Amino acid sequence: MPTPIGVGTEELRRANLRAILQTVHTHGPTTRAVLTKQLGLNRSTIGALTGELQSLGLVTEQTPVVGGRGRPSNLVVPSTDNVVVAVDVGVDRIAVAEVGLGGEVLARRTRGHQRGKHDVAHVVDSVAQMVEDILTSSAHSRCLGVGVAVPGAVRADDGLVRFAPNLGWVDEPFTELLAKRLSLPVSTGNDANLGVLAEHIRGAAVGFSEVAYLSSSVGIGGGFLVGGRPLTGASGYAGEVGHMQVDTEGPVCRCGAVGCWEMKVGENVLLQHAGRLSGGGPPAVAEVIASARAGDARAAAAVEEVAEWCGVGIRAIVNLFNPDVVVLGGCLAQVWRAAEQQVDEAMHRSALVYQRADTVIRSAGLGDDSPLIGAAELAFEPVIDHPQTVPQAG
Amino acid sequence: MPTPIGVGTEELRRANLRAILQTVHTHGPTTRAVLTKQLGLNRSTIGALTGELQSLGLVTEQTPVVGGRGRPSNLVVPSTDNVVVAVDVGVDRIAVAEVGLGGEVLARRTRGHQRGKHDVAHVVDSVAQMVEDILTSSAHSRCLGVGVAVPGAVRADDGLVRFAPNLGWVDEPFTELLAKRLSLPVSTGNDANLGVLAEHIRGAAVGFSEVAYLSSSVGIGGGFLVGGRPLTGASGYAGEVGHMQVDTEGPVCRCGAVGCWEMKVGENVLLQHAGRLSGGGPPAVAEVIASARAGDARAAAAVEEVAEWCGVGIRAIVNLFNPDVVVLGGCLAQVWRAAEQQVDEAMHRSALVYQRADTVIRSAGLGDDSPLIGAAELAFEPVIDHPQTVPQAG
């Protein structure tokens, strides 16, 4: 256990401000009465705290219109004057969204880019233009920051992108460059870690505290919640599920090892098995699945082969994490929806998993947007954690 | 995130009592001055809190003998009148220890038993006799409870042993039976989960909050700390590392799947590869390692083979958890100490792990006692969490 620390009243106040702001950000407009009940505090304390959040410009209070007995309870509403910009740097496109406090997507932009190695300065430039464009067209009064999802390992303390093989990046100071260029706070996270966060707050994992989010495109990203908190590991690199060795018979992975899980279940593996060209992305995967349904034997065999390996990998994850729910994204979700029974059979080949049948498997509730929405949550985090430090409106 | 809950003053008081008791239990006698500083509370608050712990019989205060300038600060000492009994039900022996508040092992007993299927009533009987025997010979005044480590999956809420293949148990109400027999509170946990707890508090993982503890005998147990807290999973079954599929070429595991990790690195695998009989346990493993050193080619090949698979499995764990430290116990520790270079080579075959070379690998600091000491910590937990509910001395 970490050395225990005593709790004083100032931290108490901040914890309560945080709790109220988190509640209205996550669940939307909430009456003072409900907040009073949920937080176990008295009415006057809640009034003082919501008053402080109001003077910080983070919430507004509305008198409910509906009549009734007794004094009506004011509605505490997150103020969408406060926005963040969320960015998802994917392998084949950059997506940008303006998201208001409370989680509403107010505007979005998408720009395709080619797969392969990307010059970091060029990506910073593209992202910055898209962010500036979306903020210029926006009616918000205060941008709190920018959150970015990248398909790679990100160092926790400074956002250095240590290793993003599908962008061709090693030790790129992407976060620092973008923050300088935009003069805004920028936080960067691993796409799967942000995906699980988003699915937990607004997607298929709401209400669960033990969550595994597995999403594949070229590689596989894994993001985990443990006790309701993100699994980061010692340096922010946890959740690298793609390089578990599952097959001694190969093939050799670009990481140098043999038979890694992502060599058995990625998009391109499915496409190759089906006799298609690599690189077609989700639409090409959808075509193979449709062809398999229509009677294309080679496509069907490809789906079955990949479904088998999906089950083998998910079984390892279920045995390690004993999650409430496994949320699948990308190609894993496509294959699972197409061949649930084969995935299931491979998972349950081990008696151990059979005894743990309580784990639910689902497709991502936010579809391909999980990392993007998670990036918005990442950008909101410092303000929710420390509401009193929010910059003046402008 | 879980729905945030407001914090009131009563919880604050309990948290501070808990913090003081945890500190003196973990670190031993501590001056009031140090507690004041560590907890960030004022002297009179600390005085009131230690006074309450003293009246509960959990600590004593001693005036330090050494002179000096200013008023000397009282030493707060955990009272070893409070004991728990720790039990480790292993595959080939039952170990029982009387442990005082503060962590000192005051007495211990060990009784061998045969490997294979065990009748639960018989094990309850043996354990109860050993517990009664150790308490009868003891000078303690208050037994707070019994903690038990078992090599299997334990249901968190009632201690039902769901699945302990090496004892031949499925859904055995071991905890309930032992508590009834002893008329004492009994808590049961998975041996590896308790092992990681003990290594964190008093062993090789002190000061680290991201810890993987991997220990093998017949099977492999995995226990993890994530953010300083035990990884339990949704139902308490997390950490099952033995059934990751690592080798498509087999062999078939008793769980029904093929090529599980524990089929590649357990004690018996090593013994078989070396041409020895199965079932000899740690001494037989030590003999193979000594023979390998002495030039026995078959023994050397067996060690090398198992070391390779150790590395493959540890690599998966490092990629998934990005731990500060991997603590090895049992046969894994023996093989790693004998063939560190081979284990390392297999681990670093993947470029991903190579970039994460900050992970430290160590043998268990408590040797084979990690689960036993962890069981003691498990028994102390309810009292440390709720000091005010401690039963009257007697």
Side-chain angles (χ1 to χ4, degrees), chain B residues 67-81:
Chain B
R69 289 175 60 165
R71 209 172 66 177
S73 179
N74 274 3
L75 205 57
V76 182
V77 181
S79 166
T80 50
D81 282 351

Side-chain angles (χ1 to χ4, degrees), chain B residues 187-199:
Chain B
S187 306
T188 303
N190 169 269
D191 54 0
N193 289 350
L194 295 173
V196 73
L197 193 69
E199 287 295 322

Side-chain angles (χ1 to χ4, degrees), chain B residues 24-28 78-80 82 84 98-106 201-202 366 373 376-377 380:
Chain B
V24 300
H25 173 61
T26 305
H27 302 290
S79 166
T80 50
N82 302 281
V84 298
E98 181 191 29
V99 180
L101 189 66
E104 194 186 345
V105 175
L106 305 169
I201 299 177
R202 307 183 190 281
L366 302 165
I373 300 301
E377 298 300 333
F380 278 122

Side-chain angles (χ1 to χ4, degrees), chain A residues 30-238:
Chain A
T30 308
T31 63
R32 279 201 197 181
V34 168
L35 288 171
T36 302
K37 200 169 166 190
Q38 270 191 2
L39 275 69
L41 297 171
N42 64 46
R43 284 176 65 164
S44 63
T45 305
I46 290 287
L49 293 165
T50 58
E52 180 164 355
L53 291 174
Q54 203 168 0
S55 72
L56 293 165
L58 291 167
V59 305
T60 56
E61 294 209 37
Q62 295 172 7
T63 315
V65 189
V66 184
R69 289 175 59 164
R71 210 173 64 176
S73 178
N74 274 3
L75 205 57
V76 181
V77 181
S79 166
T80 53
D81 283 352
N82 303 281
V83 301
V84 298
V85 181
V87 181
D88 181 13
V89 180
V91 290
D92 44 22
R93 59 113 182 73
I94 298 171
V96 169
E98 183 191 29
V99 180
L101 189 67
E104 195 186 344
V105 175
L106 304 168
R108 59 192 302 160
R109 306 277 189 280
T110 305
R111 189 185 282 184
H113 63 178
Q114 282 202 310
R115 294 196 174 192
K117 189 167 159 55
H118 289 268
D119 178 55
V120 70
H122 186 254
V123 174
V124 166
D125 203 51
S126 296
V127 169
Q129 281 174 22
M130 293 172 79
V131 171
E132 283 160 356
D133 175 48
I134 213 166
L135 286 175
T136 307
S137 341
S138 153
H140 80 280
S141 64
R142 180 161 60 182
C143 177
L144 302 175
V146 176
V148 188
V150 296
V154 181
R155 191 158 69 191
D157 52 358
D158 61 357
L160 185 85
V161 180
R162 286 299 306 270
F163 188 61
N166 296 319
L167 301 172
W169 293 359
V170 175
D171 285 335
E172 291 290 358
F174 168 83
T175 308
E176 193 190 331
L177 293 172
L178 186 63
K180 258 189 204 151
R181 166 70 190 269
L182 288 170
S183 299
L184 279 170
V186 177
S187 307
T188 302
N190 170 269
D191 54 0
N193 289 352
L194 295 173
V196 73
L197 194 67
E199 287 295 322
H200 184 235
I201 300 177
R202 308 182 190 281
V206 169
F208 295 113
S209 57
E210 308 291 332
V211 184
Y213 169 79
L214 306 169
S215 181
S216 70
S217 56
V218 177
I220 311 179
F224 297 85
L225 289 190
V226 170
R229 298 181 164 277
L231 176 78
T232 59
S235 325
Y237 310 144

Side-chain angles (χ1 to χ4, degrees), chain A residues 292-317:
Chain A
R293 283 220 180 93
D296 176 338
R298 191 164 178 193
V303 171
E304 197 164 322
E305 167 80 8
V306 171
E308 163 73 22
W309 288 107
C310 286
V312 166
I314 294 171
R315 186 212 306 157
I317 296 301

Side-chain angles (χ1 to χ4, degrees), chain A residues 1 6-7 12 16 39 163 200 234-237 239-240 243 245-248 255 257 315 319-320 322 324 350-352, chain B residues 1 6 12 16 39 163 200 234-237 239-240 243 245-248 255 257 315 319-320 322 324 350-352:
Chain A
M1 252 139 280
V7 181
L12 204 61
N16 286 328
L39 275 69
F163 188 61
H200 184 235
S235 325
Y237 310 144
E240 188 60 72
H243 302 277
Q245 175 174 323
V246 291
D247 189 2
T248 12
C255 81
R315 186 212 306 157
N319 277 330
L320 279 166
N322 178 212
D324 293 301
S350 158
L352 283 163
Chain B
M1 253 140 281
L12 205 60
N16 287 328
L39 274 69
F163 188 60
H200 184 235
S235 324
Y237 310 145
E240 188 59 73
H243 302 277
Q245 176 174 324
V246 292
D247 188 2
T248 14
C255 81
R315 186 212 305 158
N319 277 329
L320 280 166
N322 179 210
D324 294 301
S350 159
L352 283 162

